[in-house]
Amino acid sequence: MGQHHDDDGGEEEEDEEDEEEDDADADEDEEEEEPSLKYERMGGPVNDLLKKDSASALAVSNKCLALGTHGGIVHVFNLTGERIKSFKPHQASVSDIEMDSTADFVATASIDGQVVVHSLSTTESYVFDMKRPIRSVALEPHFAKRTSRAFVCGGMAGTLVLREKGWLGHKETILHSAEGPIWHVRWREHFIAWANDFGVKIYDTQSQSRITFIDRPPDSPRADLFKCTLYWQDDTTLLIAWANHIKVARIRSRPSSGPKVPPWIVEVTAAFQLDCMISGVLPHPMSPQQLAPENGTTPSAIALTSFLILAYEPPDTYGDEMTDDRARQARKTAERPELRIISRSGEELTADALSVTNYQTWGCNDYLLAEVNPVSADGERCYIVVSPKDIVLVRPRDRKDHIAWLVEHKRYEEALGEVENLGEDEHASEMPDSRIDPVQIGARYINHLIGEGDFVKAARLCPKVCGQNAQRWEEWIFVFAQKCQLQTIIPFIPTAAPQLGHLVYEMILGHFLSHDKLALLRMIMEWPSSIYDISAVIVAIQSELDRTPSSSSSSEPMRSDAVLLMECLADLYTANRQYGKALPFFLRLRRPNVFDLIREHNLFTDVQDQALLLVEFDQELNEKRKQEGNESALSQSEAIMLLVDHTHSIPVGRVVQQLRPQSVYLFHYLDALFKKDQQLASDFADLQVTLFAEHATSRLIEYLRASSYYNLEGAYNICRSRDLVPEMVFLLGRMGNNKKALTLIIERIGDVQQAIEFAKEQSDDDLWEDLLKYAETRPTFIRGLLENVGAEIDPIRLIRRIKNGLEIPGLKEALIKILHDFQLQISLLEGCQAILNCDSAALASVRQKGQNAGFFFGATAPCLLCAEPLQRSPQDLLLLFLCRHVVHANCIDGVDDLPRYMESSVDGSTRTRPAHEVSAKIAFASVVRAKVREGCPVCHRRGEGPLT
């Protein structure tokens, strides 16, 4: 389907606008296809030049554009429209123009019969007068590097002339003649192709022979009305466009050639007829979809291109010559030229109508089409379309243009996908392209979706469009709020990177407060508290809670509005570190972590007046855990443990006062308090006796034994009222009424063993006497006493009290047991005595050996009393104790006047008997021992006692 294209600066008439509107209306029902090319009118001074003159010929080389005009002037521009040079080589219209590959030499042909070759960089210039109008000229390849400066030209004279520069000037060679005017000629490597009235011929300059002739179709229109276009696609492929026919000729080497046969043959690989006239033809790369292999084969390099043609549809000028209507006799206006892409099979792929100035008056030969050779094989391609008054640059549409087209046609989702697939090199640009800005595309897409009512999809797109731009986020959030669709965008609103203004989050919380309190609680739990004003939110929720009936005393479910609001307040107060204010809500909500909250934040003073509520709540939790089979159910109430552990903050008296209505809770509290510290529960000992008697009778005796703060008489009265005999016995014993206690044991309990134990505890001989008197007439008691006699009672004393003739069951066994026990005691005592004697002897022997054994000490060893060396002088008397301490004799108090002991001389002059020496030593030791009464002074100082 054709795409209509308007260029900037064109002059339009009203009838044209009407036609455009009609075309647009007709196309609305069909899906518009994306064009393949984009168009841009060349700016700069060229527009002013063409207002005064009109273009007639075009040549492009090395990104320079040479434009010949009907005024005989040649203008050289770059692709931006900047004029490089202008000169006037002719006095009439320039019919053809060509530039060499370096864009240095420009060859022009004119209907004034002259051919001019002009250098743009030097003064070199050649002018040739051919006497007849020249239609086409072509320079030899690499003209600037050749010294021959050859070119070929032809025109209305019907001769194709080759001119070369030689030693004696230019040499002229006629290559062909006598077949009508030469309409077009082009030179590529060593092949020259030209067209005349009969067809197209190709000449080989190497073999200097004509290698082929391609005739014109028999029904072709006049050659001068619809020009022939020759274009060398490569060195061996020639594109021929003449009137409404296209042919592709390919040159290849002849397999075997004779001496007079050209070495080349030419095949026409494609030929088809179009429904329009052709003003120009160029090869055009095929799209990726068109490059799919056919029949499993890959297309050749030549077949990888399609044709880009400049199509001209001539007006219907036939059939109205004989009419008398002058309007119908008037010249018909031409249609807009079209730039079409044609496949190799002749199928039209795309067609774009070009709006050029005064297109109604131009004919097929007035339009020109040229290609700007890309710098590289994969470089950007560019085409140039020229009319007498316009120059249009044509480029294949790139991915950015594709994205812009998608946006223009509101296919935003596809456009965003294409933007994401763009490479870094396509994104990188000195001038940012707003057409591929994902933010702008996304914003337009969101606006489109909101207009269509698809708020969910629009909200899902916001993170991609807004990114980390907080201002953009806020703008879109307020748009959704104005559309009453705030709940749609809320799941996508960020709380960090970026963090929005607190008013936005407060607005969202206010929305949930009015419409969805469960979502409000979820947001408060998920969002960080720093992103909004907690105090303002607390005030709003508290106000709403005051207006909401509480569900605590009704049959409403737990997830009622009041409960949700209380949970919100509890979390908000906790986040704001107002734990004391959060505590009442935790208790009302029965939060399991309330005790952790109290301990973690030291809220004991806040719960000192809520002891009963705490204990009841904890009891409910334990009951619930037990019903669920949870092993974590505690045997000891956590609330009571908390109250007991923090009596410094929660006074005991205040707790007792609160728990009095629930005696079981009070019992557990005082019990736990007593276990921790008896002194803490001393003021409530009498109350505790009553509570034990009521709720834990089996433990009352234990408490009575452990405590000493209760009133004995009061406790006894309580036990008597409840007939608690063991407790009464204990209390009577503690009160000193042992006889009455023993009587209760004997008469009410009848337990011999307990009676004996009670007598042992009291250590009272009178009590033992009472027990013996009571047992005289009771054989079971006598036997029990016999079996349990010990150090407290003499068995003889008991046996003598047995009356003659009293039958005592088991008396023999009891007596045998008594004898056996005594025998065992004697044996144990003897064994212990033997072991003691043996151990004493062994220890004494060890001590004796240790004291009598010798030991070594040096001459520099210090005295343990004065810390000076022991051998200060030979006259010093040293004392050695059995504890191995050695000291100076004069360092001991009261030993100054000790006589010095003189040993016998060891020389042979005098000798004494050994017995005399021993007696002397013993005598001297007795004197020293008498002086040193406290033993070793060192050990004495250390508290080891006297050791001498």
Side-chain angles (χ1 to χ4, degrees), residues 781-816:
F781 269 76
I782 294 175
R783 180 181 176 183
L785 289 172
L786 289 173
E787 291 178 351
N788 293 278
V789 293
E792 293 82 3
I793 184 173
D794 186 4
I796 302 301
R797 179 182 174 187
L798 177 59
I799 293 172
R800 288 177 177 175
R801 285 181 174 268
I802 299 175
K803 296 181 180 181
N804 295 329
L806 182 62
E807 184 177 350
I808 301 173
L811 178 61
K812 180 180 179 181
E813 291 79 4
L815 293 175
I816 293 174

Side-chain angles (χ1 to χ4, degrees), residues 424-441:
E424 294 183 0
D425 55 341
E426 294 176 284
H427 274 294
S429 176
E430 296 181 0
M431 297 295 293
D433 194 346
S434 60
R435 300 179 304 164
I436 62 171
D437 185 1
V439 174
Q440 295 187 18
I441 298 174

